[in-house]
Amino acid sequence: GESVGLHLPTLSVQEGDNSIINCAYSNSASDYFIWYKQESGKGPQFIIDIRSNMDKRQGQRVTVLLNKTVKHLSLQIAATQPGDSAVYFCAPSMIKAAGNKLTFGGGTRVLVKP
Amino acid sequence: KAGVTQTPRYLIKTRGQQVTLSCSPISGHRSVSWYQQTPGQGLQFLFEYFSETQRNKGNFPGRFSGRQFSNSRSEMNVSTLELGDSALYLCASRAGGKDSPLHFGNGTRLTVT
């Protein structure tokens, strides 16, 4: 089955700096990828998504890069703010697969230092 | 538009009891999924409902069940609770096809003692 980096590394970032969060996935059939942010006591919050026919997508202060060759995607957060402190998850999926099942990795904890 | 609403937010139950959790999806969303989140296992898929039918099921024992009503609201039930069932249970809904994101509620924190 799908496996996504099952560890919880921590990224410590100075406020105002850029953050880069990485995610490796194993299933080459994955064609839709979502990034979520989870703050303490809350559910995962949708940040940005990207389909496999793209290699880059930008949102407000965030950019997702997809490298299908090495099965890797990254989330870049520009000018990191204290409110960006959270756990970030990537969730690869297959659009044509039955159902809504998403496979989440263990996430990356981002700590923003003032 | 209101987000996904889950009730209750917190529950404490005793081993052997059963529990029912409730989820109201975002208005207009017909697909509802349930996930279990624990520190050790992370986020794991439980099941998914669409138009009152279970469309997909994760690798959980039969003690975990769910249903969806005609108004898209969903419930999940866990019978004969075990200590290991202590977790955050998250409900998510989706508007359109599988190339649209799931939107999560804030979960129900279940503690089994």
Side-chain angles (χ1 to χ4, degrees), chain A residues 47-113:
Chain A
I47 302 173
I48 192 168
D49 57 2
I50 188 168
R51 293 166 182 73
S52 59
N53 60 351
M54 304 171 70
D55 53 21
K56 180 179 180 179
R57 191 171 188 210
Q58 289 184 291
Q60 187 177 11
R61 282 200 307 118
V62 295
T63 300
V64 57
L65 299 178
L66 174 62
N67 186 330
K68 296 181 290 294
T69 302
V70 297
K71 297 196 283 288
H72 179 273
L73 65 159
S74 65
L75 178 71
Q76 301 177 3
I77 305 173
T80 311
Q81 302 169 358
D84 295 327
S85 292
V87 177
Y88 290 79
F89 297 95
C90 70
S93 65
M94 292 178 282
I95 293 172
K96 291 185 178 175
N100 263 338
K101 179 179 178 180
L102 293 179
T103 302
F104 289 84
T108 297
R109 185 179 304 279
V110 172
L111 294 175
V112 181
K113 297 178 291 186

Side-chain angles (χ1 to χ4, degrees), chain B residues 19-35:
Chain B
V19 67
T20 299
L21 312 181
S22 182
C23 170
S24 293
I26 293 172
S27 178
H29 289 195
R30 294 167 62 192
S31 169
V32 173
S33 300
W34 289 88
Y35 286 77

Side-chain angles (χ1 to χ4, degrees), chain A residues 6-83:
Chain A
L6 289 173
H7 55 276
L8 189 61
T10 298
L11 178 65
S12 189
V13 181
Q14 199 69 40
E15 182 179 355
D17 287 352
N18 297 335
S19 304
I20 299 176
I21 305 162
N22 296 304
C23 175
Y25 63 97
S26 63
N27 190 343
S28 56
S30 298
D31 56 5
Y32 178 57
F33 307 84
I34 312 171
W35 278 99
Y36 287 94
K37 168 188 179 183
Q38 187 173 24
E39 297 174 90
S40 180
K42 296 186 178 180
Q45 176 189 358
F46 169 75
I47 302 173
I48 192 168
D49 57 2
I50 188 168
R51 293 166 182 73
S52 59
N53 60 351
M54 304 171 70
D55 53 21
K56 180 179 180 179
R57 191 171 188 210
Q58 289 184 291
Q60 187 177 11
R61 282 200 307 118
V62 295
T63 300
V64 57
L65 299 178
L66 174 62
N67 186 330
K68 296 181 290 294
T69 302
V70 297
K71 297 196 283 288
H72 179 273
L73 65 159
S74 65
L75 178 71
Q76 301 177 3
I77 305 173
T80 311
Q81 302 169 358

Side-chain angles (χ1 to χ4, degrees), chain B residues 39-86:
Chain B
Q41 299 296 320
L43 277 151
Q44 293 190 294
F45 173 77
L46 279 158
F47 25 66
E48 180 220 347
Y49 288 88
F50 182 83
S51 294
E52 301 178 67
T53 301
Q54 187 180 86
R55 196 158 64 171
N56 203 359
K57 190 176 191 305
N59 189 24
F60 279 82
R63 300 186 296 107
F64 292 80
S65 63
R67 58 178 176 168
Q68 186 181 31
F69 302 96
S70 58
N71 61 359
S72 294
R73 194 177 66 85
S74 178
E75 289 181 346
M76 69 163 280
N77 184 278
V78 188
S79 62
T80 320
L81 283 165
E82 300 177 359
L83 295 179
D85 296 333
S86 294

